[in-house]
């Protein structure tokens, strides 16, 4: 397609004593040179052994998102990407926005919500405020306005055994909805926050589908 896309960007402080860095959320469902480099980079991502049970990596989740029109995969990027080396260095994390049928068990009005899933930062970028910035307003809200313009809230699931991730989400404005769901790695709290995206059009009716669990 070769289209030009304006990514959500935000300047955040990337760690104690470090200079502020430009954090971007780059959609990976576009046909650009940068997107091709970032897709290759996130497929190489690895997490610390204790974190792998909480989130699926793009080697599994990106192909599923590619096959599902309700899912928009994105890379969390800190810095410019001109070549493959830049992409490997500056691709700090990954996530998927999902407006599909999986929302039905999470919220009362699934047609007015979007799910943040498969979200993580790689170990070398953790602890610098990037994860909090990338799932908060204005960054994620700008992306949600594109990917799910009908959505008025964003929801996510966080494992009860992952208090560090929960602290990040709460610092980004998410609150516990009171729902607890079973998961492969244990029970998960459902967190939510309102999206600051302005007016929300009426959602289009969706055909019945079977949800892919990944």
């Amino acid at each position: 397609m070769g289209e030009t896309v304006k990514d959500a960007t935000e300047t955040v402080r990337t760690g104690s004593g470090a200079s502020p860095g430009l954090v971007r959320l780059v959609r990976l469902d576009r046909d650009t040179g940068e997107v091709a480099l970032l897709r290759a980079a996130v497929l190489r991502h690895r997490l610390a052994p204790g974190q792998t049970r909480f989130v699926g990596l793009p080697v599994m989740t990106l192909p599923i998102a590619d096959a599902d029109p309700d899912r928009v995969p994105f890379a969390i990027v800190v810095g410019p990407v001109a070549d493959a080396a830049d992409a490997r260095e500056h691709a700090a994390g990954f996530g998927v926005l999902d407006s599909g049928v999986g929302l039905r068990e999470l919220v009362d009005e699934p047609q007015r919500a979007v799910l943040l899933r498969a979200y993580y930062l790689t170990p070398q970028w953790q602890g610098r405020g990037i994860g909090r910035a990338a799932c908060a307003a204005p960054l994620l809200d700008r992306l949600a306005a594109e990917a799910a313009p009908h959505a008025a809230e964003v929801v996510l699931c966080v494992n009860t055994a992952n208090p560090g991730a929960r602290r990040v989400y709460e610092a980004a404005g998410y609150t516990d909805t009171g729902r607890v769901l079973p998961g492969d790695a244990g029970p998960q709290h459902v967190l939510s926050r309102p999206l600051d995206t302005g007016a929300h059009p009426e959602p289009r009716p969706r055909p019945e589908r079977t949800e892919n669990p990944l």
Side-chain angles (χ1 to χ4, degrees):
M1 292 179 289
E3 60 185 304
T4 300
V5 180
K6 183 178 180 181
D7 300 312
T9 62
E10 180 73 0
T11 299
V12 299
R13 187 164 296 281
T14 55
S16 178
S19 299
L22 190 66
V23 179
R24 298 183 291 141
L25 303 186
V26 180
R27 290 181 63 154
L28 297 182
D29 59 347
R30 304 302 198 195
D31 184 12
T32 70
E34 182 184 51
V35 166
L37 292 170
L38 289 170
R39 287 175 65 93
V42 300
L43 289 172
R44 297 165 60 98
H45 278 175
R46 299 293 181 268
L47 294 176
Q51 297 173 339
T52 54
R53 68 188 181 108
F54 297 129
V55 63
L57 286 169
V59 67
M60 293 171 32
T61 58
L62 182 55
I64 293 171
D66 287 340
D68 188 341
D70 289 331
R71 302 192 190 197
V72 174
F74 63 91
I76 304 165
V77 184
V78 185
V81 175
D83 54 31
D86 283 345
R88 290 192 296 270
E89 180 179 357
H90 297 147
F94 176 83
V96 175
L97 285 178
D98 183 358
S99 55
V101 296
L103 284 159
R104 292 176 182 171
E105 60 181 330
L106 303 180
V107 294
D108 294 331
E109 294 186 275
Q111 72 277 13
R112 293 295 188 185
V114 65
L115 171 63
L116 176 62
R117 64 192 310 161
Y119 182 80
Y120 69 85
L121 284 187
T122 56
Q124 64 267 35
W125 288 105
Q126 293 173 12
R128 307 191 193 190
I130 297 166
R132 180 181 69 250
C135 69
L139 275 178
L140 193 71
D141 300 48
R142 293 173 186 157
L143 183 61
E146 270 187 37
H150 61 279
E153 70 172 319
V154 55
V155 296
L156 57 84
C157 298
V158 60
N159 196 286
T160 57
N162 194 2
R166 177 167 179 148
R167 286 193 294 271
V168 170
Y169 295 133
E170 289 176 339
Y174 293 81
T175 59
D176 197 328
T177 66
R179 285 182 165 92
V180 179
L181 300 180
D184 292 340
Q188 301 180 86
H189 291 289
V190 179
L191 308 186
S192 171
R193 71 169 176 83
L195 284 166
D196 183 12
T197 55
H200 307 286
E202 286 297 319
R204 291 175 295 183
R206 296 183 178 278
E208 292 292 328
R209 292 197 292 115
T210 300
E211 166 70 355
N212 191 312
L214 290 178

